[in-house]
Amino acid sequence: MIIDFHTHCFPDALAARALGVLQHNAEKIQMTPCTDGTQSGTERHIAASGVDYAVVCNIATNARQQVKVNDFAISLIQNSKTLLPLGSLHPDGENKKSELERLYNAGICGIKIHPDYITIQISDAKYDEIFSLCEEMGMFVVTHAGWDPVSPNHVHATPDDILKVITRHPKLKLVAAHMGGYEYSQEVLEKLVGQNIYFDTSLSAHRVNERENLLRILREHRPDRLLFATDTPWSLAAKELEFISSANLSDELKENILYRNALELLGKK
């Protein structure tokens, strides 16, 4: 089994526009989309890639979007057999507890936050209510980590920021995308490896200059805290799987990364 823990898609009416905006930023790092951004397009792509299930990271980039983003997440869990959606909360959004309860009651057990789009540091106290609620409810949080082309001159989730979050919220199940920090692999090795935090492997195949550090992270981080991911539509499963294979990991660790840890986190084990 293969579970991709980091993908994106959008409501059909918004997909072309949303993907166009994101593509403008992605082109800064020579990335082009491999899907049309729709639910059906994403389902077809993961099936053709040999991926069994894909976690869809929905993001509320402003407070007004929170309810609609979560409506879309709930629609996916109701009508897709292969897409496993996350909801999203914004630190300035209203009714955070009731929104989390709505997601949880629909069968969604995690949320995604992208601090670079929100433009609030992930370690800011404004997120504390969200993180505390997720701790209480046993829901996990996926955060973008490291550099992002949408905010090229200011990183809103450095390894130091993430360390502050897990120190203040020790029971939080936190997933730091992009192996703990895009373009921050050395600091991840020094400060986050071995900590009680999940890393997803998304976009690792693209990070040629960090390759050796990324392989070290795979080998040295907790084996129960690694999650295979692509960031579809921005990377292909085949390339990301090739990166995992190149690490020469044990069969048991590869199985943990490809699906076992994901099943545990998703409450499906």
Side-chain angles (χ1 to χ4, degrees):
M1 181 185 290
I2 299 174
I3 298 175
D4 183 345
F5 213 86
H6 189 149
T7 68
H8 301 278
C9 70
F10 311 93
D12 287 359
L14 301 176
R17 181 158 54 104
L19 205 59
V21 171
L22 293 171
Q23 186 172 357
H24 175 73
N25 291 318
E27 285 172 349
K28 299 173 186 176
I29 48 176
Q30 291 80 53
M31 291 183 186
T32 56
C34 57
T35 76
D36 62 3
T38 65
Q39 173 186 338
S40 59
T42 303
E43 289 171 333
R44 288 194 300 271
H45 174 76
I46 66 167
S49 300
V51 172
D52 296 280
Y53 299 98
V55 174
V56 177
C57 296
N58 298 296
I59 306 166
T61 60
N62 61 61
R64 298 185 307 277
Q65 292 178 339
Q66 185 172 269
V67 172
K68 289 186 177 180
V69 165
N70 292 333
D71 286 345
F72 176 61
I74 291 169
S75 77
L76 287 178
I77 206 164
Q78 292 172 340
N79 59 39
S80 179
K81 294 181 179 179
T82 55
L83 301 182
L84 308 173
L86 304 184
S88 190
L89 291 185
H90 190 281
D92 296 326
E94 298 179 349
N95 305 315
K96 296 182 183 69
K97 184 175 183 179
S98 62
E99 273 299 286
L100 274 182
E101 289 173 344
R102 185 165 76 101
L103 292 167
Y104 185 83
N105 291 335
I108 295 172
C109 54
I111 62 171
K112 171 70 186 287
I113 292 173
H114 200 312
D116 291 291
Y117 282 89
I118 295 172
T119 67
I120 298 175
Q121 213 74 16
I122 196 65
S123 57
D124 194 290
K126 288 185 177 181
Y127 292 101
D128 280 346
E129 181 184 3
I130 294 173
F131 295 152
S132 293
L133 286 168
C134 287
E135 282 182 295
E136 291 172 15
M137 297 178 66
M139 298 178 74
F140 64 85
V141 176
V142 179
T143 180
H144 173 82
W147 184 86
D148 190 282
V150 75
S151 178
N153 299 316
H154 184 90
V155 174
H156 293 84
T158 67
D160 282 329
D161 289 313
I162 291 166
L163 196 55
K164 289 176 184 177
V165 172
I166 61 173
T167 299
R168 289 210 306 271
H169 300 276
K171 295 181 181 179
L172 180 65
K173 293 181 282 189
L174 184 66
V175 181
H178 313 303
M179 296 285 266
Y182 199 95
E183 293 194 353
Y184 279 80
S185 58
Q186 185 60 43
E187 286 191 35
V188 170
L189 279 166
E190 294 168 0
K191 299 175 181 180
L192 297 182
V193 163
Q195 300 280 352
N196 182 26
I197 183 171
Y198 292 84
F199 300 149
D200 83 31
T201 67
S202 56
L203 298 183
S204 292
H206 293 261
R207 299 165 65 182
V208 178
N209 293 338
E210 296 182 274
R211 185 177 180 85
E212 291 307 313
N213 278 348
L214 297 177
L215 293 173
R216 279 188 60 195
I217 291 169
L218 281 182
R219 297 176 187 130
E220 296 177 20
H221 191 47
R222 292 180 53 171
D224 60 341
R225 293 292 186 269
L226 294 164
L227 303 157
F228 173 72
T230 62
D231 205 0
T232 293
W234 307 114
S235 188
L236 296 168
K239 288 185 177 181
E240 302 299 334
L241 288 167
E242 183 180 351
F243 167 77
I244 299 295
S245 295
S246 73
N248 295 318
L249 307 174
S250 68
D251 289 343
E252 181 178 6
L253 180 53
K254 280 192 287 188
E255 289 177 0
N256 281 353
I257 294 169
L258 293 179
Y259 70 93
R260 284 180 179 162
N261 293 339
L263 289 175
E264 184 77 32
L265 198 52
L266 292 163
K268 296 183 179 297
K269 196 167 182 178

PDB file of all heavy atoms in Angstrom, residues 2-6 51 199-202 226-230 236-242 244 254 256-259 262:
ATOM      1  N   ILE A   2       0.387   2.296  -0.667  1.00  0.00           N
ATOM      2  CA  ILE A   2       1.055   3.595  -0.646  1.00  0.00           C
ATOM      3  C   ILE A   2       0.029   4.668  -0.319  1.00  0.00           C
ATOM      4  O   ILE A   2      -1.020   4.756  -0.967  1.00  0.00           O
ATOM      5  CB  ILE A   2       1.724   3.922  -1.995  1.00  0.00           C
ATOM      6  CG1 ILE A   2       2.788   2.881  -2.343  1.00  0.00           C
ATOM      7  CG2 ILE A   2       2.338   5.324  -1.964  1.00  0.00           C
ATOM      8  CD1 ILE A   2       3.385   3.062  -3.722  1.00  0.00           C
ATOM      9  N   ILE A   3       0.320   5.468   0.703  1.00  0.00           N
ATOM     10  CA  ILE A   3      -0.508   6.612   1.060  1.00  0.00           C
ATOM     11  C   ILE A   3       0.324   7.869   0.874  1.00  0.00           C
ATOM     12  O   ILE A   3       1.390   8.014   1.480  1.00  0.00           O
ATOM     13  CB  ILE A   3      -1.015   6.520   2.507  1.00  0.00           C
ATOM     14  CG1 ILE A   3      -1.894   5.285   2.691  1.00  0.00           C
ATOM     15  CG2 ILE A   3      -1.791   7.786   2.891  1.00  0.00           C
ATOM     16  CD1 ILE A   3      -2.345   5.045   4.128  1.00  0.00           C
ATOM     17  N   ASP A   4      -0.156   8.760   0.028  1.00  0.00           N
ATOM     18  CA  ASP A   4       0.492  10.051  -0.190  1.00  0.00           C
ATOM     19  C   ASP A   4      -0.108  11.038   0.807  1.00  0.00           C
ATOM     20  O   ASP A   4      -1.281  11.374   0.713  1.00  0.00           O
ATOM     21  CB  ASP A   4       0.251  10.506  -1.633  1.00  0.00           C
ATOM     22  CG  ASP A   4       0.945  11.813  -1.969  1.00  0.00           C
ATOM     23  OD1 ASP A   4       1.379  12.518  -1.042  1.00  0.00           O
ATOM     24  OD2 ASP A   4       1.035  12.126  -3.170  1.00  0.00           O
ATOM     25  N   PHE A   5       0.688  11.515   1.750  1.00  0.00           N
ATOM     26  CA  PHE A   5       0.164  12.302   2.857  1.00  0.00           C
ATOM     27  C   PHE A   5       0.099  13.798   2.575  1.00  0.00           C
ATOM     28  O   PHE A   5      -0.241  14.575   3.474  1.00  0.00           O
ATOM     29  CB  PHE A   5       1.010  12.061   4.122  1.00  0.00           C
ATOM     30  CG  PHE A   5       0.204  12.124   5.398  1.00  0.00           C
ATOM     31  CD1 PHE A   5      -0.466  11.006   5.871  1.00  0.00           C
ATOM     32  CD2 PHE A   5       0.104  13.302   6.118  1.00  0.00           C
ATOM     33  CE1 PHE A   5      -1.230  11.072   7.032  1.00  0.00           C
ATOM     34  CE2 PHE A   5      -0.643  13.380   7.286  1.00  0.00           C
ATOM     35  CZ  PHE A   5      -1.316  12.259   7.741  1.00  0.00           C
ATOM     36  N   HIS A   6       0.364  14.220   1.338  1.00  0.00           N
ATOM     37  CA  HIS A   6       0.374  15.661   1.061  1.00  0.00           C
ATOM     38  C   HIS A   6       0.049  15.905  -0.406  1.00  0.00           C
ATOM     39  O   HIS A   6       0.921  15.856  -1.271  1.00  0.00           O
ATOM     40  CB  HIS A   6       1.753  16.228   1.412  1.00  0.00           C
ATOM     41  CG  HIS A   6       1.846  17.723   1.387  1.00  0.00           C
ATOM     42  ND1 HIS A   6       2.697  18.428   2.198  1.00  0.00           N
ATOM     43  CD2 HIS A   6       1.202  18.659   0.640  1.00  0.00           C
ATOM     44  CE1 HIS A   6       2.570  19.729   1.962  1.00  0.00           C
ATOM     45  NE2 HIS A   6       1.672  19.890   0.997  1.00  0.00           N
ATOM     46  N   VAL A  51      -0.648   5.045  -6.350  1.00  0.00           N
ATOM     47  CA  VAL A  51      -0.953   5.470  -4.986  1.00  0.00           C
ATOM     48  C   VAL A  51      -2.355   5.014  -4.625  1.00  0.00           C
ATOM     49  O   VAL A  51      -3.294   5.192  -5.411  1.00  0.00           O
ATOM     50  CB  VAL A  51      -0.823   7.007  -4.857  1.00  0.00           C
ATOM     51  CG1 VAL A  51      -1.329   7.485  -3.511  1.00  0.00           C
ATOM     52  CG2 VAL A  51       0.630   7.428  -5.080  1.00  0.00           C
ATOM     53  N   PHE A 199       7.501  14.183  10.081  1.00  0.00           N
ATOM     54  CA  PHE A 199       7.941  14.836   8.853  1.00  0.00           C
ATOM     55  C   PHE A 199       7.246  14.161   7.687  1.00  0.00           C
ATOM     56  O   PHE A 199       7.174  12.922   7.644  1.00  0.00           O
ATOM     57  CB  PHE A 199       9.455  14.687   8.635  1.00  0.00           C
ATOM     58  CG  PHE A 199      10.317  15.273   9.715  1.00  0.00           C
ATOM     59  CD1 PHE A 199      11.547  14.694  10.008  1.00  0.00           C
ATOM     60  CD2 PHE A 199       9.929  16.399  10.419  1.00  0.00           C
ATOM     61  CE1 PHE A 199      12.376  15.227  10.980  1.00  0.00           C
ATOM     62  CE2 PHE A 199      10.747  16.939  11.403  1.00  0.00           C
ATOM     63  CZ  PHE A 199      11.967  16.353  11.692  1.00  0.00           C
ATOM     64  N   ASP A 200       6.747  14.939   6.725  1.00  0.00           N
ATOM     65  CA  ASP A 200       6.375  14.319   5.460  1.00  0.00           C
ATOM     66  C   ASP A 200       7.505  14.570   4.456  1.00  0.00           C
ATOM     67  O   ASP A 200       8.279  15.504   4.596  1.00  0.00           O
ATOM     68  CB  ASP A 200       4.989  14.768   4.973  1.00  0.00           C
ATOM     69  CG  ASP A 200       4.937  16.088   4.213  1.00  0.00           C
ATOM     70  OD1 ASP A 200       5.912  16.444   3.524  1.00  0.00           O
ATOM     71  OD2 ASP A 200       3.888  16.761   4.277  1.00  0.00           O
ATOM     72  N   THR A 201       7.597  13.687   3.478  1.00  0.00           N
ATOM     73  CA  THR A 201       8.747  13.689   2.570  1.00  0.00           C
ATOM     74  C   THR A 201       8.514  14.496   1.304  1.00  0.00           C
ATOM     75  O   THR A 201       9.321  14.432   0.373  1.00  0.00           O
ATOM     76  CB  THR A 201       9.125  12.248   2.180  1.00  0.00           C
ATOM     77  OG1 THR A 201       8.070  11.693   1.378  1.00  0.00           O
ATOM     78  CG2 THR A 201       9.357  11.372   3.406  1.00  0.00           C
ATOM     79  N   SER A 202       7.440  15.278   1.243  1.00  0.00           N
ATOM     80  CA  SER A 202       7.053  15.949   0.004  1.00  0.00           C
ATOM     81  C   SER A 202       8.153  16.852  -0.554  1.00  0.00           C
ATOM     82  O   SER A 202       8.831  17.561   0.181  1.00  0.00           O
ATOM     83  CB  SER A 202       5.783  16.776   0.237  1.00  0.00           C
ATOM     84  OG  SER A 202       5.956  17.702   1.289  1.00  0.00           O
ATOM     85  N   LEU A 226       7.651   9.323  10.191  1.00  0.00           N
ATOM     86  CA  LEU A 226       7.950   9.676   8.810  1.00  0.00           C
ATOM     87  C   LEU A 226       6.783   9.275   7.912  1.00  0.00           C
ATOM     88  O   LEU A 226       6.239   8.171   8.058  1.00  0.00           O
ATOM     89  CB  LEU A 226       9.232   8.975   8.340  1.00  0.00           C
ATOM     90  CG  LEU A 226      10.531   9.417   9.032  1.00  0.00           C
ATOM     91  CD1 LEU A 226      11.634   8.396   8.769  1.00  0.00           C
ATOM     92  CD2 LEU A 226      10.956  10.795   8.565  1.00  0.00           C
ATOM     93  N   LEU A 227       6.418  10.155   6.978  1.00  0.00           N
ATOM     94  CA  LEU A 227       5.241   9.953   6.139  1.00  0.00           C
ATOM     95  C   LEU A 227       5.576  10.233   4.674  1.00  0.00           C
ATOM     96  O   LEU A 227       6.057  11.326   4.347  1.00  0.00           O
ATOM     97  CB  LEU A 227       4.115  10.902   6.570  1.00  0.00           C
ATOM     98  CG  LEU A 227       3.659  10.813   8.029  1.00  0.00           C
ATOM     99  CD1 LEU A 227       2.993  12.110   8.462  1.00  0.00           C
ATOM    100  CD2 LEU A 227       2.717   9.626   8.220  1.00  0.00           C
ATOM    101  N   PHE A 228       5.323   9.272   3.816  1.00  0.00           N
ATOM    102  CA  PHE A 228       5.537   9.500   2.382  1.00  0.00           C
ATOM    103  C   PHE A 228       4.577  10.561   1.871  1.00  0.00           C
ATOM    104  O   PHE A 228       3.396  10.570   2.210  1.00  0.00           O
ATOM    105  CB  PHE A 228       5.332   8.213   1.588  1.00  0.00           C
ATOM    106  CG  PHE A 228       5.368   8.434   0.103  1.00  0.00           C
ATOM    107  CD1 PHE A 228       6.570   8.720  -0.525  1.00  0.00           C
ATOM    108  CD2 PHE A 228       4.207   8.406  -0.648  1.00  0.00           C
ATOM    109  CE1 PHE A 228       6.612   8.957  -1.904  1.00  0.00           C
ATOM    110  CE2 PHE A 228       4.231   8.639  -2.021  1.00  0.00           C
ATOM    111  CZ  PHE A 228       5.439   8.907  -2.644  1.00  0.00           C
ATOM    112  N   ALA A 229       5.089  11.456   1.027  1.00  0.00           N
ATOM    113  CA  ALA A 229       4.246  12.519   0.469  1.00  0.00           C
ATOM    114  C   ALA A 229       4.884  13.071  -0.793  1.00  0.00           C
ATOM    115  O   ALA A 229       6.091  12.934  -1.017  1.00  0.00           O
ATOM    116  CB  ALA A 229       4.049  13.637   1.497  1.00  0.00           C
ATOM    117  N   THR A 230       4.049  13.727  -1.623  1.00  0.00           N
ATOM    118  CA  THR A 230       4.542  14.270  -2.895  1.00  0.00           C
ATOM    119  C   THR A 230       4.377  15.781  -3.013  1.00  0.00           C
ATOM    120  O   THR A 230       5.198  16.454  -3.599  1.00  0.00           O
ATOM    121  CB  THR A 230       3.791  13.628  -4.076  1.00  0.00           C
ATOM    122  OG1 THR A 230       2.401  13.949  -3.970  1.00  0.00           O
ATOM    123  CG2 THR A 230       3.992  12.122  -4.103  1.00  0.00           C
ATOM    124  N   LEU A 236       5.796  14.344  -8.804  1.00  0.00           N
ATOM    125  CA  LEU A 236       5.272  13.045  -9.214  1.00  0.00           C
ATOM    126  C   LEU A 236       5.615  11.978  -8.181  1.00  0.00           C
ATOM    127  O   LEU A 236       6.731  11.956  -7.645  1.00  0.00           O
ATOM    128  CB  LEU A 236       5.858  12.644 -10.565  1.00  0.00           C
ATOM    129  CG  LEU A 236       5.498  13.528 -11.759  1.00  0.00           C
ATOM    130  CD1 LEU A 236       6.384  13.187 -12.949  1.00  0.00           C
ATOM    131  CD2 LEU A 236       4.029  13.362 -12.125  1.00  0.00           C
ATOM    132  N   ALA A 237       4.670  11.089  -7.938  1.00  0.00           N
ATOM    133  CA  ALA A 237       4.908  10.001  -6.986  1.00  0.00           C
ATOM    134  C   ALA A 237       6.118   9.166  -7.400  1.00  0.00           C
ATOM    135  O   ALA A 237       6.905   8.738  -6.542  1.00  0.00           O
ATOM    136  CB  ALA A 237       3.663   9.129  -6.870  1.00  0.00           C
ATOM    137  N   ALA A 238       6.285   8.941  -8.688  1.00  0.00           N
ATOM    138  CA  ALA A 238       7.402   8.113  -9.151  1.00  0.00           C
ATOM    139  C   ALA A 238       8.747   8.711  -8.727  1.00  0.00           C
ATOM    140  O   ALA A 238       9.656   7.992  -8.292  1.00  0.00           O
ATOM    141  CB  ALA A 238       7.348   7.957 -10.672  1.00  0.00           C
ATOM    142  N   LYS A 239       8.870  10.035  -8.848  1.00  0.00           N
ATOM    143  CA  LYS A 239      10.126  10.689  -8.455  1.00  0.00           C
ATOM    144  C   LYS A 239      10.342  10.623  -6.946  1.00  0.00           C
ATOM    145  O   LYS A 239      11.459  10.392  -6.474  1.00  0.00           O
ATOM    146  CB  LYS A 239      10.122  12.141  -8.919  1.00  0.00           C
ATOM    147  CG  LYS A 239      10.271  12.328 -10.417  1.00  0.00           C
ATOM    148  CD  LYS A 239      10.373  13.800 -10.766  1.00  0.00           C
ATOM    149  CE  LYS A 239      10.606  13.993 -12.257  1.00  0.00           C
ATOM    150  NZ  LYS A 239      10.726  15.433 -12.605  1.00  0.00           N
ATOM    151  N   GLU A 240       9.273  10.837  -6.188  1.00  0.00           N
ATOM    152  CA  GLU A 240       9.400  10.819  -4.730  1.00  0.00           C
ATOM    153  C   GLU A 240       9.649   9.405  -4.222  1.00  0.00           C
ATOM    154  O   GLU A 240      10.389   9.209  -3.257  1.00  0.00           O
ATOM    155  CB  GLU A 240       8.159  11.434  -4.090  1.00  0.00           C
ATOM    156  CG  GLU A 240       7.876  12.871  -4.513  1.00  0.00           C
ATOM    157  CD  GLU A 240       8.981  13.850  -4.151  1.00  0.00           C
ATOM    158  OE1 GLU A 240       9.735  13.593  -3.184  1.00  0.00           O
ATOM    159  OE2 GLU A 240       9.115  14.879  -4.844  1.00  0.00           O
ATOM    160  N   LEU A 241       9.050   8.409  -4.868  1.00  0.00           N
ATOM    161  CA  LEU A 241       9.306   7.017  -4.487  1.00  0.00           C
ATOM    162  C   LEU A 241      10.740   6.613  -4.818  1.00  0.00           C
ATOM    163  O   LEU A 241      11.371   5.858  -4.067  1.00  0.00           O
ATOM    164  CB  LEU A 241       8.321   6.090  -5.192  1.00  0.00           C
ATOM    165  CG  LEU A 241       6.877   6.143  -4.689  1.00  0.00           C
ATOM    166  CD1 LEU A 241       5.936   5.428  -5.658  1.00  0.00           C
ATOM    167  CD2 LEU A 241       6.766   5.532  -3.291  1.00  0.00           C
ATOM    168  N   GLU A 242      11.252   7.131  -5.914  1.00  0.00           N
ATOM    169  CA  GLU A 242      12.643   6.856  -6.277  1.00  0.00           C
ATOM    170  C   GLU A 242      13.588   7.417  -5.225  1.00  0.00           C
ATOM    171  O   GLU A 242      14.593   6.781  -4.870  1.00  0.00           O
ATOM    172  CB  GLU A 242      12.948   7.475  -7.642  1.00  0.00           C
ATOM    173  CG  GLU A 242      14.343   7.180  -8.154  1.00  0.00           C
ATOM    174  CD  GLU A 242      14.598   7.802  -9.512  1.00  0.00           C
ATOM    175  OE1 GLU A 242      13.647   8.324 -10.125  1.00  0.00           O
ATOM    176  OE2 GLU A 242      15.769   7.777  -9.952  1.00  0.00           O
ATOM    177  N   ILE A 244      12.900   7.787  -2.005  1.00  0.00           N
ATOM    178  CA  ILE A 244      12.806   6.894  -0.846  1.00  0.00           C
ATOM    179  C   ILE A 244      13.635   5.632  -1.084  1.00  0.00           C
ATOM    180  O   ILE A 244      14.392   5.186  -0.214  1.00  0.00           O
ATOM    181  CB  ILE A 244      11.337   6.512  -0.562  1.00  0.00           C
ATOM    182  CG1 ILE A 244      10.484   7.742  -0.248  1.00  0.00           C
ATOM    183  CG2 ILE A 244      11.258   5.495   0.576  1.00  0.00           C
ATOM    184  CD1 ILE A 244      10.846   8.470   1.012  1.00  0.00           C
ATOM    185  N   LYS A 254      10.639   1.252   5.277  1.00  0.00           N
ATOM    186  CA  LYS A 254       9.949   1.703   4.062  1.00  0.00           C
ATOM    187  C   LYS A 254       8.438   1.517   4.191  1.00  0.00           C
ATOM    188  O   LYS A 254       7.663   2.395   3.782  1.00  0.00           O
ATOM    189  CB  LYS A 254      10.481   0.952   2.836  1.00  0.00           C
ATOM    190  CG  LYS A 254      11.792   1.498   2.329  1.00  0.00           C
ATOM    191  CD  LYS A 254      12.166   0.944   0.963  1.00  0.00           C
ATOM    192  CE  LYS A 254      12.606  -0.490   1.043  1.00  0.00           C
ATOM    193  NZ  LYS A 254      13.153  -0.988  -0.242  1.00  0.00           N
ATOM    194  N   ASN A 256       6.769   1.512   6.976  1.00  0.00           N
ATOM    195  CA  ASN A 256       6.320   2.558   7.907  1.00  0.00           C
ATOM    196  C   ASN A 256       6.098   3.875   7.179  1.00  0.00           C
ATOM    197  O   ASN A 256       5.090   4.558   7.373  1.00  0.00           O
ATOM    198  CB  ASN A 256       7.355   2.773   9.019  1.00  0.00           C
ATOM    199  CG  ASN A 256       7.300   1.725  10.097  1.00  0.00           C
ATOM    200  OD1 ASN A 256       6.419   0.878  10.121  1.00  0.00           O
ATOM    201  ND2 ASN A 256       8.260   1.772  11.015  1.00  0.00           N
ATOM    202  N   ILE A 257       7.066   4.244   6.349  1.00  0.00           N
ATOM    203  CA  ILE A 257       7.006   5.524   5.642  1.00  0.00           C
ATOM    204  C   ILE A 257       5.884   5.530   4.607  1.00  0.00           C
ATOM    205  O   ILE A 257       5.142   6.516   4.485  1.00  0.00           O
ATOM    206  CB  ILE A 257       8.355   5.821   4.970  1.00  0.00           C
ATOM    207  CG1 ILE A 257       9.441   6.043   6.034  1.00  0.00           C
ATOM    208  CG2 ILE A 257       8.264   7.042   4.053  1.00  0.00           C
ATOM    209  CD1 ILE A 257      10.859   6.084   5.479  1.00  0.00           C
ATOM    210  N   LEU A 258       5.747   4.454   3.874  1.00  0.00           N
ATOM    211  CA  LEU A 258       4.795   4.431   2.756  1.00  0.00           C
ATOM    212  C   LEU A 258       3.344   4.342   3.198  1.00  0.00           C
ATOM    213  O   LEU A 258       2.460   4.849   2.502  1.00  0.00           O
ATOM    214  CB  LEU A 258       5.117   3.283   1.808  1.00  0.00           C
ATOM    215  CG  LEU A 258       6.439   3.404   1.049  1.00  0.00           C
ATOM    216  CD1 LEU A 258       6.657   2.188   0.160  1.00  0.00           C
ATOM    217  CD2 LEU A 258       6.481   4.677   0.208  1.00  0.00           C
ATOM    218  N   TYR A 259       3.070   3.682   4.356  1.00  0.00           N
ATOM    219  CA  TYR A 259       1.657   3.593   4.725  1.00  0.00           C
ATOM    220  C   TYR A 259       1.372   3.346   6.208  1.00  0.00           C
ATOM    221  O   TYR A 259       0.354   3.818   6.731  1.00  0.00           O
ATOM    222  CB  TYR A 259       0.953   2.511   3.898  1.00  0.00           C
ATOM    223  CG  TYR A 259       1.350   1.086   4.216  1.00  0.00           C
ATOM    224  CD1 TYR A 259       0.623   0.323   5.140  1.00  0.00           C
ATOM    225  CD2 TYR A 259       2.430   0.485   3.586  1.00  0.00           C
ATOM    226  CE1 TYR A 259       0.972  -0.989   5.424  1.00  0.00           C
ATOM    227  CE2 TYR A 259       2.791  -0.821   3.865  1.00  0.00           C
ATOM    228  CZ  TYR A 259       2.056  -1.551   4.791  1.00  0.00           C
ATOM    229  OH  TYR A 259       2.409  -2.843   5.073  1.00  0.00           O
ATOM    230  N   ALA A 262       1.064   6.508   8.371  1.00  0.00           N
ATOM    231  CA  ALA A 262      -0.107   7.270   7.923  1.00  0.00           C
ATOM    232  C   ALA A 262      -1.399   6.648   8.456  1.00  0.00           C
ATOM    233  O   ALA A 262      -2.286   7.351   8.930  1.00  0.00           O
ATOM    234  CB  ALA A 262      -0.133   7.340   6.405  1.00  0.00           C
TER     235      ALA A 262
END
